[in-house]
Amino acid sequence: MSRQRIIAFLTALAVAVGLAVLVPLASTASAADCAAAWSSSSVYTGGQTASYNAHNWSAKWWTQGETPGAADVWADQGACGSSSGGTGGTTGGSGSCSYPAWVAGQNYVTGAIVQYSNGSDYIATHDNPGYDPTISTWYWSPYSCTGGGGTTPPSGSGFVVSEAQFDQMFPNRNSFYTYSGLTAALSAYPGFATTGSATVQKQEAAAFLANVSHETGGLVYVTEIDKSGNYCASEPYGCPAGTYSYYGRGPIQLSWNFNYKAAGDALGVDLLDNPSLVETDAAISWKTGLWYWDTQTGPGTMTPHNAMVNGAGFGETIRSINGSIECNGGNPAEVQDRVNAYENFTSILGVPAGSNLSC
């Protein structure tokens, strides 16, 4: 007797004697539907779900801008399908756009479009071997799929520090250091004060401005007082603007010919031949400060940007800027001055200062 007939016979017999029939069901297991795609600009509270990288994620508590899988705030709810709901994809925050995630070390040609971990899209403006899209506008520019290339600098209202708060932080600043100059400079390093949660973004802005305040006496000095120092190191490109032309300028007091060369190359401006631009163009001046903050480790082990967004604390930003002189007991009074400014600025922005404040 065939298997099908045996099953039919046993079923009929069970019905005849009043037994419950347990019929094996066809397998219907499948991946859960994906929730709406995660967006870096959206706020999620505890229990809310979003999809990212073909998984559903549940927020444990309030979060904004913290990538599922990379932040402890998200709990993995398992793989999800694409039959309904969000795409669960790698393009959270891009609406109908779908671009591959940026991969460090992967070669990109001009015109390639990727999505960075902050949820924003970037287009390669020059061929590069996988440079970080938030490092320089020479290699990458912000991109909007709905309106083409998006290279317009953020407006003042888009910065986590308002103009009124900026004025409160620097009541006696030199008129050269304009708020509009700062906000215009933000386009060069779009990852600055936009990475991580809203609290982390404000902490990074406060940390940058606190160090800037210390370097410039509260944004009073555009150039260093003593300009007689020789900051012309023996480099292949020399010092075309003159031996004594590379003294400290701008919010981070950019010094030495090799720093002017490197900053200029990153920003697409010839600062080696025209170092005076750092003291005459407010946007370029602010950009040199952001260049150091986002790309240079100095005497430290990480960039100040990475120190703030990865939880190393304000003390590590001091180490990266002047740690060889001030940290490890070198000049505790100078360190404390920076810490005092940082605590003041985080208070103005309404966020905690966090831990690891000193170096």
Side-chain angles (χ1 to χ4, degrees):
M1 183 180 291
S2 69
R3 181 175 180 271
Q4 289 82 356
R5 289 184 177 181
I6 292 172
I7 292 175
F9 171 76
L10 292 175
T11 300
L13 179 62
V15 172
V17 299
L19 297 176
V21 181
L22 299 178
V23 180
L25 298 176
S27 175
T28 57
S30 62
D33 289 341
C34 287
W38 171 77
S39 170
S40 62
S41 61
S42 297
V43 172
Y44 299 91
T45 55
Q48 289 188 317
T49 60
S51 60
Y52 186 79
N53 280 342
H55 276 236
N56 280 329
W57 302 82
S58 176
K60 299 178 183 178
W61 52 81
W62 188 98
T63 178
Q64 182 183 33
E66 296 176 288
T67 308
D72 186 55
V73 67
W74 290 99
D76 190 351
Q77 302 299 301
C80 63
S82 58
S83 58
S84 63
T87 63
T90 58
T91 59
S94 294
S96 59
C97 303
S98 180
Y99 302 120
W102 168 78
V103 178
Q106 177 176 312
N107 287 319
Y108 291 99
V109 298
T110 303
I113 303 173
V114 299
Q115 186 198 48
Y116 191 59
S117 58
N118 62 6
S120 298
D121 298 322
Y122 294 86
I123 185 170
T125 48
H126 291 86
D127 295 355
N128 69 87
Y131 292 140
D132 190 307
T134 65
I135 293 302
S136 173
T137 54
W138 175 255
Y139 294 108
W140 297 96
S141 291
Y143 183 83
S144 170
C145 71
T146 57
T151 58
T152 304
S155 66
S157 61
F159 186 35
V160 294
V161 179
S162 69
E163 187 166 8
Q165 290 169 329
F166 183 74
D167 291 339
Q168 186 179 353
M169 293 173 178
F170 303 104
N172 301 311
R173 74 176 188 275
N174 189 303
S175 59
F176 171 76
Y177 291 114
T178 60
Y179 180 78
S180 60
L182 172 56
T183 56
L186 298 179
S187 63
Y189 295 95
F192 169 73
T194 63
T195 304
S197 68
T199 294
V200 170
Q201 292 173 22
K202 290 181 179 180
Q203 287 174 334
E204 183 183 9
F208 171 73
L209 293 173
N211 280 297
V212 161
S213 179
H214 179 83
E215 295 292 325
T216 61
L219 286 185
V220 171
Y221 298 104
V222 178
T223 64
E224 66 176 306
I225 297 174
D226 183 4
K227 301 177 179 60
S228 62
N230 182 353
Y231 291 104
C232 184
S234 56
E235 301 290 344
Y237 39 78
C239 294
T243 303
Y244 297 96
S245 298
Y246 302 96
Y247 51 80
R249 295 177 173 89
I252 210 73
Q253 290 292 283
L254 187 71
S255 307
W256 292 96
N257 60 330
F258 52 83
N259 278 328
Y260 277 85
K261 168 67 172 172
D265 286 350
L267 299 171
V269 181
D270 183 5
L271 297 181
L272 184 66
D273 287 288
N274 303 283
S276 62
L277 287 173
V278 184
E279 62 181 281
T280 57
D281 187 309
I284 290 177
S285 191
W286 280 112
K287 285 180 182 180
T288 63
L290 293 174
W291 165 78
Y292 191 94
W293 184 266
D294 272 65
T295 70
Q296 303 300 297
T297 62
T301 60
M302 63 188 76
T303 66
H305 169 72
N306 284 338
M308 293 307 298
V309 302
N310 293 323
F314 179 72
E316 285 303 312
T317 72
I318 303 174
R319 192 180 302 279
S320 298
I321 292 173
N322 214 24
S324 58
I325 297 175
E326 297 179 16
C327 294
N328 302 319
N331 197 328
E334 295 293 293
V335 171
Q336 191 58 50
D337 183 69
R338 294 179 192 265
V339 173
N340 291 344
Y342 174 63
E343 291 181 321
N344 178 32
F345 291 173
T346 52
S347 176
I348 290 173
L349 296 178
V351 294
S355 57
N356 303 322
L357 298 184
S358 184
C359 62

